Amino acid sequence: MGNGQWFPAEWPERIRALAEGTLTPVTPRRAATVMLVRDTETGPVVHMLRRRASMAFAGGAYAYPGGGVDPRDDEHQIRWAGPTRAWWAERLGVDEASAQAIVCAAVRETYEEAGVLLAGPGPDTVVGDTTGEDWEADRAALVAKDLSFAEFLDRRGLVLRSDLLGAWARWITPEFESRRYDTWFFVAVLPEGQRTRNASTEADRTVWIRPADAAAGYDKGELLMMPPTIATLRGIVAYERAADALAAAPARELAPVLAEARLEDGEVVLTWPGHDEFTKHIPAGGASA
């Protein structure tokens, strides 16, 4: 059995169209996703969700909580704690408004999809259990975009704890994909007193799993994942404590990873620079190896 690399059936045709100049790449949307980790007696575990098989993008694949940037997060000054927006702008390689929006997306999407909120009443505090009915009403309003994240924080008297996040990697969806995202991956330790739940309508299952076990499941073809997911997952296998992974984040390289496709000897060769394990050879018939 092969590994669990997600590979849509329509990719070969779209790759050829891109190579022939008949496909115009769509502009990627800014997005953020968060690897939530916590300690157990046998080492750190990471929170993953399985996207519903009916989803048009990466259906059935395991991923982390995350999603696209809300444009309103560029426009409003968010209640903020931790490293400054200027610090985050330099770290993420964007302007300050974009840095705020990307960090907000990471925190907001984690709350929307996992019920975990990286915010507190002050710069050194974090909220506890967020499973009450009033919290759920606010979460639903965020999902429906009836409430902006800035309004949510103001209503609750909370500040975003940007210091609880560590930027880990940046991946851009290949140019031949119809849905494209410029995604920043973050790592965060589950705050004490909070618990995850499957709050996402896009997921049919959530798990806490040891990174090494998840990677082994992918290698056996038992767990389906996109290249960025398994690549970032392998990156946290070595850490013996959740806090160690967060502490290692500032030294991580954030150069964007973008797949490249080329025609070679009658086949399409698909590669991800720096990640040889994902290389695909697609012959004229469309099957991949």
Side-chain angles (χ1 to χ4, degrees), residues 38 50 94 99 137 145 179 215 217-218 260 272 287:
R38 65 176 174 85
R50 185 176 65 187
V94 296
K145 300 193 184 305
R179 295 174 178 83
Y218 168 89
E260 299 174 352
W272 277 260

Side-chain angles (χ1 to χ4, degrees), residues 159-236:
V159 295
L160 182 153
R161 289 286 305 277
S162 77
D163 56 313
L164 298 181
L165 285 169
W168 193 262
R170 180 183 179 185
W171 288 67
I172 302 177
T173 309
E175 292 182 329
F176 47 80
E177 247 296 338
S178 57
R179 295 174 178 83
R180 300 190 64 211
Y181 300 92
D182 185 352
T183 305
W184 283 261
F185 285 73
F186 295 85
V187 63
V189 178
L190 179 70
E192 185 176 352
Q194 293 196 39
R195 48 184 171 161
T196 57
R197 58 193 176 92
N198 184 7
S200 172
T201 59
E202 299 179 354
D204 61 10
R205 183 189 184 207
T206 61
V207 295
W208 281 101
I209 187 170
R210 293 176 63 244
D213 291 341
Y218 168 89
D219 290 336
K220 296 174 183 176
E222 297 171 352
L223 299 183
L224 186 66
M225 297 182 201
M226 293 176 283
T229 306
I230 180 61
T232 51
L233 190 64
R234 293 198 198 284
I236 60 174

Side-chain angles (χ1 to χ4, degrees), residues 2-74:
N3 63 30
Q5 182 175 340
W6 179 70
F7 191 85
E10 67 271 15
W11 269 16
E13 181 180 350
R14 296 185 63 85
I15 289 170
R16 292 188 185 89
L18 179 66
E20 293 166 359
T22 59
L23 176 68
T24 301
V26 300
T27 301
R29 293 180 55 201
R30 296 170 301 165
T33 189
V34 177
M35 298 182 287
L36 275 174
V37 291
R38 65 176 174 85
D39 290 317
T40 70
E41 292 181 356
T42 58
V45 289
V46 61
H47 180 70
M48 304 189 77
L49 53 84
R50 185 176 65 187
R51 294 173 60 82
R52 294 185 184 277
S54 59
M55 296 295 295
F57 183 80
Y62 280 79
Y64 314 113
V69 164
D70 183 340
R72 292 176 295 182
D73 292 338
D74 291 82

